[in-house]
Amino acid sequence: APRPCVFCLPVPVLKILRPRLDDAFLSRAYHPTAATDLTEEGRKVCEGNDMEYAKAFYGSWEWATEEEAGAVGVPALVVHGRDDQIIEAAAGEHLAAALPRCSGITIVDGASHQVMEERPDEVAGVLVGLLAAGAKDA
């Protein structure tokens, strides 16, 4: 996925655009059924992000190559919201296939990009399962 071109703009312009950028992110990052208090907390986090850091982050954003992912030597699991509109689930599936010690991908229904916030109990259950499986292998 390409870098968001809006972050090529000068920081003063990004500061002016911030409300629209925040709205665009939040509308895609949280599932429509997410609790209002959760999305309000997400807005506070967005508003606290320094636009200079955001510009630097997106300016250096690169996807790992298959070779780089293949070099990850630790057990892994990919958890992805089915309705993620920031990074599509197919990208998570591609990552899971590239990680050599990946136990698979869990696609969480009713969740978007902030799956760990939207469905914390389900994500925790998946992680506990990964840890339990690792304990058996030790």
Side-chain angles (χ1 to χ4, degrees):
R3 297 176 188 152
C5 65
V6 70
F7 289 98
C8 296
L9 295 170
V11 171
V13 174
L14 292 173
K15 288 180 179 180
I16 293 168
L17 294 175
R18 160 177 241 126
R20 288 189 176 195
L21 294 172
D22 291 351
D23 288 346
F25 173 77
L26 293 166
S27 70
R28 290 170 178 83
Y30 289 96
H31 193 271
T33 62
T36 302
D37 61 337
L38 188 60
T39 57
E40 287 173 4
E41 187 62 31
R43 181 168 300 283
K44 289 178 190 173
V45 171
C46 285
E47 290 170 353
N49 287 335
D50 186 308
M51 293 312 286
E52 290 179 12
Y53 291 124
K55 180 178 174 76
F57 171 79
Y58 285 109
S60 63
W61 183 13
E62 291 185 24
W63 291 92
T65 65
E66 285 192 35
E67 182 179 321
E68 291 166 334
V72 175
V74 297
L77 172 69
V78 176
V79 180
H80 208 100
R82 181 170 306 283
D83 300 312
D84 189 334
Q85 294 181 44
I86 304 292
I87 300 173
E88 61 189 38
E93 292 167 352
H94 183 74
L95 175 62
L99 293 168
R101 294 187 61 196
C102 187
S103 62
I105 182 168
T106 297
I107 304 289
V108 181
D109 289 326
S112 186
H113 190 68
Q114 299 300 103
V115 61
M116 63 287 190
E117 293 178 53
E118 296 172 303
R119 299 285 187 257
D121 293 341
E122 191 168 343
V123 172
V126 170
L127 294 175
V128 167
L130 175 66
L131 295 172
K136 284 189 244 176
D137 294 341

